[in-house]
Amino acid sequence: MNVREITAKSVLIKHKKIDSWFVSRYGMNLYRGCAHNCAYCDGRSERYQVEGVFGEDVSVKTNALEVLRKELKPIGRRVKLNPGYIMLGGGVGDSYQPVEEKYQLTRKTLQLLCEYRWPVHVLTKSTLVERDIDIIERINQQNKAIVSFSFSSTNDEISAVLEPHVPPPSERLKTLAAFKRKGIACGMFLLPVIPFITDTPELISEALRRAHEIGVDFVIFGGMTLKSGKQQEYFFSLLRHNQPELLARYEQIYGDNKWGQATEEYYSTINSIFSELCKKYKITRRIPPVLYSGILSENDLVIVMLEHLDYFLRVEGKRSSFGYAAYSISKLNKPLSSVKNTLREIRGIGEKTEKIILEILETKNSAYYSSLS
Ligand code: SF4
C-alpha cells in the first residue's frame, strides 16, 4: 500500500437533501482510496476520481481535524448546520481501513463529534471499529450513535474471494454483537449483493437469520451497480478467472447502462426475495423512526419517512408519489408546520400524503408507516 499525505480544503460533505438511507445530512471521506480493495467496489469507478491505483494507493487528509473543527464551530456561522447523523463511512474509502491504525483520523474525528454533541452513524467492514467503542458509547449516551457493518453475504468462503482484505463476516457479526451489548443501535447493510453469487434466497436468508440472532435494528438491502470502465474491468477479470460462465448473464442484466444499473426486473426480483424473508425474521428494512425522530428537523423527519414509504411501496411493485412529495418538501425553505393549512399546494402532496404529514408533525410517527415497515 502506498500512502500519500494530502491537505484538504473541506471535510464535511453537505448533502443537498437529507440522505434517507443513512439519515444523514453530512458525510466525510477522511481517506481517499481503500486498501480493502473489495472486488466490486464502485469507489474504483472513474466517476469518483480517486487518485492513484484503487486498492493500492490511499490518500490521507492529515489536516482533517483542523478543518472539521472550523466547519463544526457554530460561532459566527451565518447558516446553521442541519441536525442529523454525521456519517462516517461509505463513499470512497473505509474509515477503518488499515491506515487508520497509524493515523487514527477516525478516532479523533469521533472525539471531536462527541465534543460538539453530534449524533454519529458509522458504516464499516472492519472490526477495528471496536477499538473506539468507548467514544461511540459516550456519543450514544449524550445523543445517539448507530454502528453498521456492510456485507455482500455472511458466507466467510465467498467473502474471502470478493473481500480478501477485510475481516470475515463471522468476525464482523461478533463485533456488531459487541456494540449491541453496549446498547448501541446496529445495522446491517446487505449491500451490494452480488448477482448470481450472493443474491440467492439461501444466502440472503442466512444473512437475515444471523442479523436477527444478534438483534440488529435494521437491515438495508441493495443490488450491485457495475459502471463501465475500471470498476467493470476489475470485476470482470475476477469473474473470468473464477466463474467465467457468469459473464454472459452479467452482460444480460447490465448491458451498457451508463449508471451501471442492472435491469429493473433483476432488482425487483431480489428486492422481493429480501422483503419476503424480512417478514419471516421480523426485520426492519429502513432505519426506524425511533432512532431519528428526536434528532431531525420536522421537514427532514417528514422527508425521510416519505422516502421510506416510497421504498416500501415500490418493492411491492406499487406506484407511489411519496418520493416526489419528499423532493418538493426538500425545496421548501420554511418549516412544514408553518404551512400546515396549505400543504396541498406543494407539488406531489394529495389528500393521503397530507394526512400522513400532519400525523408526523403531530406525533413524530405514522400509523401507515408502521403498517408497511
Ligand atoms: S471496504 Fe468499502 S470502500 Fe473499501 S473497497 Fe470495500 S466496498 Fe470499497
Side-chain angles (χ1 to χ4, degrees):
M1 178 180 49
N2 309 310
V3 176
R4 199 162 69 101
E5 296 188 351
I6 57 169
T7 52
K9 289 202 181 91
S10 63
V11 172
L12 270 190
I13 302 167
K14 305 171 182 85
H15 305 311
K16 284 192 186 129
K17 175 170 78 61
I18 188 157
D19 181 323
S20 62
W21 286 61
F22 303 114
V23 195
S24 66
R25 269 286 191 165
Y26 307 95
M28 64 183 83
N29 290 307
L30 299 167
Y31 304 110
R32 283 184 66 79
C34 191
H36 286 162
N37 202 19
C38 305
Y40 48 77
C41 182
D42 77 341
R44 138 181 315 114
S45 157
E46 288 81 352
R47 182 165 171 221
Y48 302 107
Q49 299 175 357
V50 178
E51 310 75 17
V53 179
F54 195 87
E56 290 176 23
D57 301 325
V58 177
S59 303
V60 180
K61 296 180 180 171
T62 49
N63 65 336
L65 269 291
E66 212 178 295
V67 175
L68 186 60
R69 190 175 278 282
K70 282 190 198 142
E71 290 175 324
L72 293 175
K73 210 173 175 184
I75 303 161
R77 178 184 290 286
R78 278 191 298 162
V79 183
K80 277 199 351 200
L81 292 177
N82 290 300
Y85 285 92
I86 292 194
M87 189 71 203
L88 270 168
V92 292
D94 197 313
S95 308
Y96 284 98
Q97 59 179 301
V99 73
E100 165 65 14
E101 284 182 48
K102 176 180 168 197
Y103 286 91
Q104 304 213 357
L105 283 186
T106 304
R107 180 168 178 85
K108 291 175 197 159
T109 297
L110 286 171
Q111 282 163 338
L112 189 61
L113 295 172
C114 183
E115 188 186 318
Y116 282 95
R117 306 185 79 82
W118 276 91
V120 173
H121 184 177
V122 178
L123 173 66
T124 182
K125 271 199 179 86
S126 170
T127 51
L128 180 58
V129 62
E130 205 169 339
R131 178 199 65 187
D132 296 341
I133 202 163
D134 55 339
I135 311 170
I136 297 174
E137 199 182 1
R138 222 175 312 137
I139 294 175
N140 190 47
Q141 281 159 0
Q142 70 182 19
N143 229 307
K144 263 203 182 347
I146 304 176
V147 173
S148 296
F149 267 79
S150 59
F151 299 81
S152 56
S153 76
T154 48
N155 181 294
D156 284 358
E157 286 82 49
I158 299 176
S159 168
V161 178
L162 295 171
E163 306 149 347
H165 304 296
V166 285
S170 52
E171 294 299 317
R172 283 177 245 165
L173 289 164
K174 279 187 205 153
T175 305
L176 265 185
F179 278 96
K180 267 307 306 178
R181 283 195 296 274
K182 291 280 182 187
I184 295 164
C186 288
M188 171 186 274
F189 280 71
L190 189 54
L191 188 160
V193 289
I194 313 302
F196 319 119
I197 300 174
T198 70
D199 63 351
T200 61
E202 295 73 26
L203 284 175
I204 296 173
S205 176
E206 175 63 8
L208 296 186
R209 186 185 65 76
R210 295 177 83 171
H212 174 74
E213 259 173 27
I214 293 172
V216 303
D217 296 83
F218 58 90
V219 178
I220 290 182
F221 177 84
M224 182 170 91
T225 54
L226 191 57
K227 297 183 182 69
S228 56
K230 285 187 193 164
Q231 187 199 3
Q232 195 175 91
E233 283 155 25
Y234 191 89
F235 186 77
F236 276 1
S237 68
L238 188 89
L239 211 55
R240 217 168 279 124
H241 189 253
N242 292 296
Q243 286 178 276
E245 70 284 2
L246 293 182
L247 281 164
R249 297 177 76 187
Y250 271 76
E251 299 283 358
Q252 237 170 34
I253 61 166
Y254 286 102
D256 55 0
N257 182 286
K258 100 172 184 206
W259 306 110
Q261 299 277 346
T263 57
E264 285 278 329
E265 197 191 350
Y266 170 74
Y267 287 137
S268 108
T269 307
I270 57 170
N271 275 321
S272 352
I273 295 172
F274 169 71
S275 288
E276 275 310 305
L277 287 165
C278 281
K279 284 181 203 152
K280 174 174 169 192
Y281 293 106
K282 299 192 170 45
I283 296 267
T284 305
R285 295 165 294 165
R286 282 295 184 256
I287 300 181
V290 66
L291 294 180
Y292 55 81
S293 59
I295 292 177
L296 303 184
S297 70
E298 60 182 34
N299 287 24
D300 280 350
L301 175 63
V302 169
I303 291 170
V304 170
M305 292 184 75
L306 289 182
E307 288 193 345
H308 288 183
L309 283 173
D310 191 68
Y311 166 81
F312 297 140
L313 291 170
R314 281 174 191 272
V315 293
E316 281 177 22
K318 295 182 182 149
R319 286 163 66 92
S320 149
S321 61
F322 292 129
Y324 183 40
Y327 173 78
S328 302
I329 295 167
S330 75
K331 298 282 165 203
L332 205 68
N333 50 18
K334 45 188 148 186
L336 275 169
S337 52
S338 70
V339 291
K340 251 192 335 205
N341 299 327
T342 51
L343 284 175
R344 302 270 288 273
E345 288 172 15
I346 300 171
R347 289 176 147 218
I349 300 183
E351 193 183 341
K352 186 173 179 183
T353 312
E354 179 190 40
K355 220 171 129 206
I356 292 168
I357 294 174
L358 291 173
E359 189 187 354
I360 297 173
L361 291 177
E362 197 175 319
T363 65
K364 296 196 172 211
N365 219 326
S366 149
Y368 185 55
Y369 185 105
S370 307
S371 74
L372 289 183
S373 63

